mmCIF file of all heavy atoms in Angstrom:
data_model
loop_
_atom_site.group_PDB
_atom_site.id
_atom_site.type_symbol
_atom_site.label_atom_id
_atom_site.label_comp_id
_atom_site.label_asym_id
_atom_site.label_seq_id
_atom_site.Cartn_x
_atom_site.Cartn_y
_atom_site.Cartn_z
ATOM 1 N N ASN K 300 18.397 8.779 11.475
ATOM 2 C CA ASN K 300 17.378 9.043 10.469
ATOM 3 C C ASN K 300 16.628 10.325 10.797
ATOM 4 O O ASN K 300 16.277 10.558 11.986
ATOM 5 C CB ASN K 300 16.394 7.873 10.411
ATOM 6 C CG ASN K 300 17.007 6.623 9.814
ATOM 7 O OD1 ASN K 300 17.890 6.718 8.964
ATOM 8 N ND2 ASN K 300 16.546 5.458 10.224
ATOM 9 N N LEU K 301 16.351 11.096 9.759
ATOM 10 C CA LEU K 301 15.618 12.357 9.935
ATOM 11 C C LEU K 301 14.372 12.313 9.044
ATOM 12 O O LEU K 301 14.363 11.627 8.022
ATOM 13 C CB LEU K 301 16.504 13.520 9.502
ATOM 14 C CG LEU K 301 17.763 13.761 10.327
ATOM 15 C CD1 LEU K 301 18.593 14.880 9.710
ATOM 16 C CD2 LEU K 301 17.394 14.109 11.769
ATOM 17 N N PRO K 302 13.344 13.112 9.402
ATOM 18 C CA PRO K 302 12.130 13.109 8.560
ATOM 19 C C PRO K 302 12.432 13.610 7.155
ATOM 20 O O PRO K 302 13.257 14.504 6.969
ATOM 21 C CB PRO K 302 11.181 14.067 9.289
ATOM 22 C CG PRO K 302 12.009 14.776 10.324
ATOM 23 C CD PRO K 302 13.228 13.958 10.614
ATOM 24 N N ILE K 303 11.728 13.038 6.187
ATOM 25 C CA ILE K 303 12.057 13.283 4.773
ATOM 26 C C ILE K 303 11.411 14.558 4.222
ATOM 27 O O ILE K 303 11.916 15.154 3.282
ATOM 28 C CB ILE K 303 11.665 12.040 3.911
ATOM 29 C CG1 ILE K 303 12.338 12.053 2.550
ATOM 30 C CG2 ILE K 303 10.152 11.882 3.775
ATOM 31 C CD1 ILE K 303 12.274 10.744 1.806
ATOM 32 N N GLY K 304 10.277 14.983 4.817
ATOM 33 C CA GLY K 304 9.580 16.180 4.308
ATOM 34 C C GLY K 304 8.114 15.917 4.081
ATOM 35 O O GLY K 304 7.598 14.849 4.494
ATOM 36 N N PRO K 305 7.394 16.822 3.440
ATOM 37 C CA PRO K 305 5.955 16.639 3.240
ATOM 38 C C PRO K 305 5.632 15.341 2.472
ATOM 39 O O PRO K 305 6.244 15.058 1.457
ATOM 40 C CB PRO K 305 5.557 17.868 2.431
ATOM 41 C CG PRO K 305 6.568 18.890 2.765
ATOM 42 C CD PRO K 305 7.868 18.167 2.970
ATOM 43 N N VAL K 306 4.671 14.587 3.025
ATOM 44 C CA VAL K 306 4.284 13.311 2.426
ATOM 45 C C VAL K 306 2.842 13.424 1.905
ATOM 46 O O VAL K 306 1.969 13.895 2.613
ATOM 47 C CB VAL K 306 4.358 12.167 3.485
ATOM 48 C CG1 VAL K 306 3.841 10.855 2.896
ATOM 49 C CG2 VAL K 306 5.787 12.015 4.013
ATOM 50 N N VAL K 307 2.628 12.985 0.672
ATOM 51 C CA VAL K 307 1.263 12.939 0.118
ATOM 52 C C VAL K 307 0.727 11.524 0.283
ATOM 53 O O VAL K 307 1.413 10.554 -0.044
ATOM 54 C CB VAL K 307 1.284 13.356 -1.390
ATOM 55 C CG1 VAL K 307 -0.046 13.048 -2.050
ATOM 56 C CG2 VAL K 307 1.595 14.848 -1.502
ATOM 57 N N VAL K 308 -0.500 11.421 0.820
ATOM 58 C CA VAL K 308 -1.074 10.118 1.162
ATOM 59 C C VAL K 308 -2.354 9.844 0.341
ATOM 60 O O VAL K 308 -3.229 10.718 0.243
ATOM 61 C CB VAL K 308 -1.390 10.043 2.689
ATOM 62 C CG1 VAL K 308 -2.239 8.829 3.022
ATOM 63 C CG2 VAL K 308 -0.111 10.063 3.499
ATOM 64 N N PHE K 309 -2.404 8.649 -0.230
ATOM 65 C CA PHE K 309 -3.616 8.183 -0.941
ATOM 66 C C PHE K 309 -4.157 6.979 -0.201
ATOM 67 O O PHE K 309 -3.407 6.007 -0.001
ATOM 68 C CB PHE K 309 -3.274 7.713 -2.364
ATOM 69 C CG PHE K 309 -2.799 8.820 -3.271
ATOM 70 C CD1 PHE K 309 -1.467 9.237 -3.238
ATOM 71 C CD2 PHE K 309 -3.688 9.427 -4.159
ATOM 72 C CE1 PHE K 309 -1.033 10.246 -4.077
ATOM 73 C CE2 PHE K 309 -3.249 10.435 -4.987
ATOM 74 C CZ PHE K 309 -1.920 10.848 -4.966
ATOM 75 N N GLY K 310 -5.445 6.998 0.173
ATOM 76 C CA GLY K 310 -6.011 5.861 0.877
ATOM 77 C C GLY K 310 -6.724 4.926 -0.092
ATOM 78 O O GLY K 310 -6.856 5.232 -1.278
ATOM 79 N N ALA K 311 -7.170 3.809 0.443
ATOM 80 C CA ALA K 311 -7.864 2.796 -0.385
ATOM 81 C C ALA K 311 -9.357 2.773 -0.041
ATOM 82 O O ALA K 311 -9.744 3.108 1.076
ATOM 83 C CB ALA K 311 -7.264 1.420 -0.136
ATOM 84 N N SER K 312 -10.159 2.301 -0.994
ATOM 85 C CA SER K 312 -11.615 2.306 -0.770
ATOM 86 C C SER K 312 -12.026 1.285 0.284
ATOM 87 O O SER K 312 -13.019 1.469 0.966
ATOM 88 C CB SER K 312 -12.327 1.999 -2.081
ATOM 89 O OG SER K 312 -11.867 0.785 -2.617
ATOM 90 N N ASN K 313 -11.237 0.193 0.442
ATOM 91 C CA ASN K 313 -11.706 -0.892 1.326
ATOM 92 C C ASN K 313 -11.352 -0.719 2.790
ATOM 93 O O ASN K 313 -11.788 -1.538 3.599
ATOM 94 C CB ASN K 313 -11.186 -2.252 0.793
ATOM 95 C CG ASN K 313 -9.686 -2.324 0.756
ATOM 96 O OD1 ASN K 313 -8.999 -1.312 0.720
ATOM 97 N ND2 ASN K 313 -9.152 -3.518 0.767
ATOM 98 N N PHE K 314 -10.585 0.280 3.104
ATOM 99 C CA PHE K 314 -10.247 0.569 4.529
ATOM 100 C C PHE K 314 -10.430 2.068 4.778
ATOM 101 O O PHE K 314 -9.467 2.824 4.710
ATOM 102 C CB PHE K 314 -8.811 0.149 4.846
ATOM 103 C CG PHE K 314 -8.612 -1.297 5.116
ATOM 104 C CD1 PHE K 314 -8.237 -2.146 4.092
ATOM 105 C CD2 PHE K 314 -8.797 -1.815 6.378
ATOM 106 C CE1 PHE K 314 -8.053 -3.511 4.339
ATOM 107 C CE2 PHE K 314 -8.633 -3.185 6.630
ATOM 108 C CZ PHE K 314 -8.262 -4.023 5.611
ATOM 109 N N PRO K 315 -11.668 2.506 5.074
ATOM 110 C CA PRO K 315 -11.883 3.957 5.197
ATOM 111 C C PRO K 315 -11.130 4.585 6.381
ATOM 112 O O PRO K 315 -10.931 5.797 6.398
ATOM 113 C CB PRO K 315 -13.394 4.044 5.397
ATOM 114 C CG PRO K 315 -13.837 2.706 5.837
ATOM 115 C CD PRO K 315 -12.904 1.708 5.207
ATOM 116 N N PHE K 316 -10.705 3.767 7.336
ATOM 117 C CA PHE K 316 -9.933 4.300 8.476
ATOM 118 C C PHE K 316 -8.477 3.860 8.398
ATOM 119 O O PHE K 316 -7.567 4.663 8.284
ATOM 120 C CB PHE K 316 -10.528 3.828 9.815
ATOM 121 C CG PHE K 316 -11.969 4.255 10.003
ATOM 122 C CD1 PHE K 316 -12.973 3.306 10.195
ATOM 123 C CD2 PHE K 316 -12.332 5.589 10.002
ATOM 124 C CE1 PHE K 316 -14.283 3.671 10.368
ATOM 125 C CE2 PHE K 316 -13.656 5.974 10.161
ATOM 126 C CZ PHE K 316 -14.646 4.991 10.356
ATOM 127 N N ALA K 317 -8.218 2.551 8.517
ATOM 128 C CA ALA K 317 -6.858 2.037 8.750
ATOM 129 C C ALA K 317 -5.884 2.271 7.619
ATOM 130 O O ALA K 317 -4.677 2.353 7.860
ATOM 131 C CB ALA K 317 -6.934 0.540 9.099
#
Side-chain angles (χ1 to χ4, degrees):
N300 289 330
L301 296 175
I303 197 166
V306 176
V307 169
V308 169
F309 294 83
S312 56
N313 60 338
F314 280 94
F316 301 121

